[in-house]
Amino acid sequence: MPTVPPLDVPVIAAPMAGGPSTPALVAAAGEAGGMGFLAGGYLSAAALDAQLDDRSARPYGVNLFLPAAPDPDLAARRAAVAAYAARLAPEAARYGVELGEPRADDDAVDEKIAVLARHRPAVVSVTFALPSAARYAALRETGAALVATVTSVDEARVAQEQGFDGLWVQGAEAGGHRGVHHDPGGDAEQGAVPLADLLPAVRATTDLPLIAAGGLVDGADVARVVAAGAVAAGLGTAFLRCPEAGTSATHRAALRSSSGTDGVRETVVTRAFTGRPARALANRFTAAYSADAPPCYPELHHLTRPVRAAASSAGDPEALHLWAGTAYARATEEPAGELVARLGRECRDAGR
Ligand SMILES: Cc1cc2nc3c(=O)[nH]c(=O)nc-3n(C[C@H](O)[C@H](O)[C@H](O)COP(=O)(O)O)c2cc1C
């Protein structure tokens, strides 16, 4: 069976869809002794293919978003999306755009799996759901070690039963989307388990290699999760301000300015941007819409996209999804290779 490759530095640059993950970031993380991940989410299969043509010589991973099981009550779902669209009409007017078409697509996942079978990355991870038997078989054809993102002991158990080779154990602190397999709506943070509780609980139930993620930014954080039984730490937010990351200028500026002593923003978990719980810096949009946003991913992602794009282009952080983990204010701004090397040194100094 394929396995998660051993790393000189137990640090993985986490997949970050929507721009931040780039081939340059993946190459820099790999060349410094860690490992990078490309994010297949939202990309077309052709765009993913092009990113993989540009790939690193070092082992790397690719993440895919898997669509959730179909909603049995489609009429209610459509009505909820329409009601949310009506709520957002003033935002579209404010930014001079039309709301997007709330499509319920599957992110072209089968086409992307076919692309991966040609490029043969070392690791493929999946997020949001576990694959059908047919998709699992297709993923196996890529030859990669298959890793499932899990947020609970139950999700970990089902992923292990399906035959996954490793688990990406995502704690409540993580930036971006929560990988929870079923989102029942209601409180967006319900059931979220802090990594310090989740990692040992999952470790106690499986011998699979675990990658621990959520709120980790320095070498002491990495050493702590390795001591708790992870083969590596998966860091997302820590890499967002690296020059190799494709993070937008507006997102970078918000992270930077919020990290100072003045005007520090809270992070909140919200469905307001995409319809799935995700952790972001609080802004006007999260305050205004989090309570009304229905659990309808990816329809809300497509619906809000033009507003978010217009806000980003205008340098306005108040209607943009500013994904960030709870530890974002401790993150630094340095080249990814230097970051990985420093994390390795700090981790060794901490006794690992
Ligand atoms: C901007 C951003 C985008 C993300 N996109 C993805 C993604 O495409 N796929 C995924 O599995 N996780 C995604 N995540 C979650 C990360 O892979 C990782 O689990 C998380 O960043 C770890 O927490 P941290 O941000 O506190 O380091 C994203 C996180 C951020 C901050």
Side-chain angles (χ1 to χ4, degrees):
M1 272 297 169
T3 52
V4 178
L7 302 175
D8 294 340
V9 179
V11 169
I12 296 181
M16 295 189 284
S21 291
T22 61
L25 184 64
V26 171
E31 279 153 24
M35 189 168 82
F37 255 82
L38 287 173
Y42 307 140
L43 295 178
S44 66
L48 178 61
D49 202 13
Q51 287 204 356
L52 288 163
D53 279 340
D54 210 6
R55 71 190 186 278
S56 158
R58 304 271 306 166
Y60 64 95
V62 180
N63 173 255
L64 297 178
F65 288 157
L66 290 187
D71 191 328
D73 193 347
L74 264 186
R77 188 177 177 100
R78 289 202 183 107
V81 172
Y84 191 59
R87 273 284 276 127
L88 292 182
E91 292 296 329
R94 179 180 189 131
Y95 291 96
V97 295
E98 300 280 323
L99 292 173
E101 186 205 334
R103 288 182 285 121
D105 61 3
D106 77 348
D107 207 33
V109 65
D110 293 322
E111 292 91 322
K112 291 181 200 176
I113 294 172
V115 166
L116 297 183
R118 289 203 301 281
H119 287 281
R120 310 195 76 73
V123 182
V124 172
S125 72
V126 297
T127 298
F128 295 159
L130 294 173
S132 65
R135 279 203 175 120
Y136 178 81
L139 284 164
R140 277 277 165 234
E141 292 297 307
T142 67
L146 300 183
V147 168
T149 305
V150 298
T151 61
S152 70
V153 169
D154 281 351
E155 289 174 356
R157 184 180 43 74
V158 181
Q160 173 162 25
E161 282 167 9
Q162 196 173 9
F164 275 82
D165 306 310
L167 302 174
W168 184 283
V169 180
Q170 189 196 47
E173 300 87 347
H177 284 113
R178 287 186 59 208
V180 61
H181 294 181
H182 173 64
D183 175 18
D187 176 4
E189 237 174 315
Q190 70 187 302
V193 185
L195 186 62
D197 298 330
L198 182 62
L199 179 60
V202 174
R203 183 71 292 164
T205 66
T206 177
D207 292 330
L208 288 178
L210 306 181
I211 299 158
L216 311 175
V217 288
D218 62 25
D221 295 337
V222 175
R224 205 171 49 249
V225 297
V226 171
V231 292
L235 281 64
T237 300
F239 285 92
L240 274 176
R241 287 162 63 204
C242 292
E244 298 90 342
T247 312
S248 73
T250 309
H251 192 176
R252 275 179 199 274
L255 288 165
R256 188 184 304 120
S257 65
S258 306
S259 296
T261 46
D262 297 329
V264 172
R265 292 181 197 245
E266 295 288 312
T267 64
V268 292
V269 178
T270 182
R271 293 186 190 84
F273 297 110
T274 69
R276 259 196 171 269
R279 188 175 291 282
L281 298 182
N283 60 9
R284 186 178 57 74
F285 202 92
T286 63
Y289 302 110
S290 294
D292 298 339
C296 298
Y297 176 92
E299 293 96 323
L300 268 53
H301 163 76
H302 294 300
L303 187 71
T304 64
R305 191 175 203 159
V307 170
R308 294 183 281 125
S312 182
S313 303
D316 175 358
E318 298 303 332
L320 180 61
H321 56 290
L322 303 168
W323 298 153
T326 53
Y328 79 92
R330 290 196 288 127
T332 54
E333 192 162 341
E334 62 192 307
E338 289 177 23
L339 172 57
V340 171
R342 177 170 64 75
L343 292 170
R345 284 194 305 276
E346 289 174 356
C347 188
R348 278 193 297 278
D349 290 349
R352 293 284 135 200

